[in-house]
Amino acid sequence: MLLLVTYAGTVLFPSLQIPFVGSVVAGVCSGPSPISHLAPANLSPSEGAVRRSKSAYFASFGESNKYVRRLQEGRLRYTCCHGSGLSVFFCSKVRATVKAQIFSVSMDEFSGPEYKGLGEEASRVDTLQKVSVLPLVFLIFYEVSGGPFGVEDSVQAAGPLLALLGFLFFPLVWSIPEVLITAEMGTMFPENGGYVVWVSSALGPFWGFQQGWMKWLSGVIDNALYPVLFLDYLKSGIPAIGGGAPRILSILILTVALTYMNYRGLTIVGWAAVCLGIFSILPFILMGFLAVPKLEPSRWLVVDMHKVDWSVYLNTLFWNLNYWDSISTLAGEVENPKRTLPKALCYALILVVLAYFIPLLIGTGAVPLDRELWADGYFSDVAKIIGGVWLRTWLQGASALSNMGMFVAEMSSDSFQLLGMAERGMLPEFFSKRSRYGTPLVGILFSASGVVLLSWLSFQEIVAAENFLYCFGMIMEFVAFIKLRITHPSAPRPYRIPLGTSGCILMLIPPTILICVVLLLSSVKVMIVSVVALLIGFILQPCLKHVEKRRWVRFSVSSDLPDLIADEHGNAAEASLIA
């Protein structure tokens, strides 16, 4: 199965190098780089004569100047002159032997500009340490999964066979399309804000704001769950935190402590996620080795289609395999996001699928089946049966710490989303202010306040409400993705899904059907609450525009954000030169 998942990754991400597969897969993954970036040295945009974009420079009517660019031997040679009555295009370095699509750049060689913060903070932001591949992989892991804790309900609802098949094939229907869209759109817009920027660029700022509101609210609702679950794991040893004032105080202390970790920097959060992830995965690896003598494959084939709770089954799969797009909201904090983001998404996809499938394979195959026992936390009982009390204790600790990892990862995405919206002028400028550690201080405080206010909700209400809002957000992402493919086909896409527009539409049909099913399975109460939340967003955006118009609060747009139209023209000019 590892080879199957890895092979799928190499097909979907053909420019990745996956070291543990060997030379065959590495040969498939590697390829020539058609375009790499060259910034002319003596161009100044201050006089308005030159407009800078990621891959091209345009100059018009100005003082007589001559810019000569001679490329190395074997490359395309050309000379560009600029003078009165001339309009000159300064092309990026282009290889003469272009065999791939001109607008799909190899992630190993494309190096675009860094996007900075607003105003005086730009230089300070540029000096902050960026997130590398490994921390980013585990940030995605905690955004989506955090380990197999919470998948036990799938066995109770549908039995071992459907549970195993669900976590093996559901990623093909849902996770892979979402990962591919995140890779293409995240490298197309390598800035904070992620899906808000995608929707805004395709559908306009109003719908971009609605996307940001729904996704932020969904993320905060999701994050309200983790302090509660953390205390639930500990209350068997500390009964006092099971309810009342001690529980409320514990939630506040835990929220403040984890919020402070986010405040100290995304790099700290990323490496903390690596440590927590290793600690959470190790007990399952050890349990797998200990369970080998006890495995009975016939237990994996048990199924009773008349006793399947489809609502619980589908919601469990959906909740455990979504939020791949959340990492896009902090793409501006990633080291070389055009190369790093797709690689991290591919590795995280493999890690998440294995982290769900293998523990389920062990638990259902090594322990006699009693579906009623397969509820939240049952893996700790499986660990005791297979390895003893010490393994159960380790796994319970891993479960508790996994909730901490999911909390800090989700809060990072939520807070940087607000920062990205402020850089786009959708929120007041103070949301873009950073702490001395480079973190969005106001965004963190807003997200933490939302967590505290929503922590009184029950587990079922939290999951249902966030799924409903998340579904609406995903529909807008799908629409924005297809529209940008149609209206801006030649815009720079350092990673491009290896499908045409028609193929992408076909790819999105199954997840769209799944979204409709999840929405129909929602209770009336959840529907009413979610619709009210949507209406608040419809009211909030015009109110903010009125505040901006009256100048009660300052709004501003960062001048360092990418220009989609200019970049598309640059790509078209490059294509004409090569032709």
Side-chain angles (χ1 to χ4, degrees), residues 1-2 42 100 117 119 134 149 179 204 206 224 232 265 274 281 293-294 300 302 352 362 378 385 413 452-453 542 564:
M1 185 194 67
L2 173 61
N42 298 320
L134 183 61
F149 314 107
V179 165
F206 176 82
D232 286 342
V274 173
I281 293 172
K294 302 179 181 180
W300 298 329
V302 177
V352 167
I362 296 167
Y378 184 64
I385 295 171
S413 292
V452 172
L453 292 174
L564 184 63

Side-chain angles (χ1 to χ4, degrees), residues 12-13 107 177-189 198 324 328 337-338 341-343 345-346 493-497:
L12 298 173
F13 298 88
M107 291 177 294
E178 190 177 358
V179 165
L180 291 174
I181 290 175
T182 302
E184 178 169 320
M185 301 296 286
T187 55
M188 188 178 177
F189 298 96
W198 313 344
W324 295 96
S328 66
K338 296 173 183 180
L341 183 60
K343 293 179 71 172
L345 282 164
C346 181
R493 289 173 171 87
Y495 173 78
R496 187 184 184 96
I497 298 174

Side-chain angles (χ1 to χ4, degrees), residues 279-303:
F279 182 79
S280 300
I281 293 172
L282 279 178
F284 290 98
I285 295 176
L286 183 58
M287 188 169 69
F289 285 112
L290 295 176
V292 170
K294 302 179 181 180
L295 291 176
E296 293 185 17
S298 60
R299 293 171 177 165
W300 298 329
L301 305 178
V302 177
V303 62

Side-chain angles (χ1 to χ4, degrees), residues 187-258:
T187 55
M188 188 178 177
F189 298 96
E191 58 179 282
N192 297 323
Y195 36 71
V196 177
V197 181
W198 313 344
V199 175
S200 180
S201 299
L203 307 178
F206 176 82
W207 291 109
F209 180 88
Q210 303 310 317
Q211 174 77 348
W213 165 250
M214 285 186 289
K215 284 301 192 85
W216 179 81
L217 189 59
S218 173
V220 170
I221 292 173
D222 181 57
N223 230 11
L225 172 68
Y226 302 126
V228 175
L229 287 179
F230 180 83
L231 295 179
D232 286 342
Y233 282 112
L234 297 181
K235 68 182 180 182
S236 59
I238 311 175
I241 62 175
R247 183 176 181 85
I248 296 175
L249 183 61
S250 299
I251 290 175
L252 290 174
I253 293 174
L254 186 61
T255 301
V256 170
L258 296 178

Side-chain angles (χ1 to χ4, degrees), residues 290-570:
L290 295 176
V292 170
K294 302 179 181 180
L295 291 176
E296 293 185 17
S298 60
R299 293 171 177 165
W300 298 329
L301 305 178
V302 177
V303 62
D304 186 352
M305 300 300 293
H306 300 290
K307 296 182 179 179
V308 177
D309 188 334
W310 292 104
S311 177
V312 174
Y313 175 65
L314 290 176
N315 269 295
T316 301
L317 292 175
F318 189 79
W319 183 62
N320 282 284
L321 287 166
N322 59 17
Y323 281 93
W324 295 96
D325 58 339
S326 294
I327 201 66
S328 66
T329 62
L330 44 85
E333 312 304 310
V334 175
E335 178 183 318
N336 192 7
K338 296 173 183 180
R339 175 184 177 183
T340 303
L341 183 60
K343 293 179 71 172
L345 282 164
C346 181
Y347 296 147
L349 176 63
I350 296 171
L351 179 62
V352 167
V353 172
L354 294 179
Y356 283 142
F357 187 79
I358 292 179
L360 275 175
L361 204 66
I362 296 167
T364 56
V367 176
L369 177 63
D370 186 345
R371 283 176 57 173
E372 296 303 320
L373 296 178
W374 279 88
D376 288 333
Y378 184 64
F379 267 125
S380 61
D381 295 329
V382 173
K384 181 182 178 182
I385 295 171
I386 295 175
V389 176
W390 65 272
L391 186 57
R392 182 184 68 175
T393 303
W394 185 359
L395 197 140
Q396 286 177 333
S399 301
L401 294 178
S402 178
N403 286 289
M404 295 176 58
M406 289 186 281
F407 183 97
V408 295
E410 182 66 49
M411 178 166 284
S412 296
S413 292
D414 295 341
S415 56
F416 275 101
Q417 176 196 317
L418 297 180
L419 182 145
M421 292 176 71
E423 289 182 339
R424 285 276 172 175
M426 298 180 187
L427 292 176
E429 185 181 324
F430 59 78
F431 277 96
S432 67
K433 299 299 182 182
R434 297 176 182 250
S435 70
R436 58 177 176 155
Y437 303 106
T439 50
L441 179 59
V442 178
I444 289 174
L445 292 176
F446 262 73
S447 299
S449 301
V451 168
V452 172
L453 292 174
L454 296 171
S455 60
W456 55 271
L457 293 173
S458 68
F459 176 83
Q460 291 80 9
E461 290 172 328
I462 288 175
V463 172
E466 69 167 296
N467 279 351
F468 197 93
L469 293 172
Y470 186 82
C471 286
F472 272 104
M474 287 308 303
I475 290 174
M476 284 208 290
E477 281 184 34
F478 293 167
V479 173
F481 167 70
I482 296 299
K483 184 175 181 181
L484 288 174
R485 271 292 190 104
I486 295 172
T487 58
H488 300 284
S490 58
R493 289 173 171 87
Y495 173 78
R496 187 184 184 96
I497 298 174
L499 294 172
T501 302
S502 299
C504 289
I505 293 173
L506 293 176
M507 178 187 72
L508 294 179
I509 290 176
T512 303
I513 294 174
L514 177 64
I515 286 174
C516 295
V517 172
V518 172
L519 291 175
L520 291 174
L521 291 176
S522 300
S523 66
V524 175
K525 178 182 177 181
V526 169
M527 286 185 181
I528 293 174
V529 172
S530 300
V531 169
V532 170
L534 295 177
L535 292 176
I536 291 175
F538 290 161
I539 297 172
L540 188 59
Q541 198 269 350
C543 290
L544 287 173
K545 298 303 292 183
H546 181 71
V547 168
E548 179 184 9
K549 184 178 180 181
R550 299 298 298 270
R551 297 184 180 181
W552 293 340
V553 179
R554 182 178 179 182
F555 288 71
S556 61
V557 179
S558 174
S559 60
D560 293 313
L561 297 175
D563 189 327
L564 184 63
I565 304 300
D567 295 341
E568 189 171 17
H569 290 165

Side-chain angles (χ1 to χ4, degrees), residues 245-277:
R247 183 176 181 85
I248 296 175
L249 183 61
S250 299
I251 290 175
L252 290 174
I253 293 174
L254 186 61
T255 301
V256 170
L258 296 178
T259 300
Y260 178 74
M261 183 183 295
N262 279 92
Y263 165 75
R264 285 300 304 269
L266 189 58
T267 302
I268 292 177
V269 171
W271 285 108
V274 173
C275 296
L276 292 173

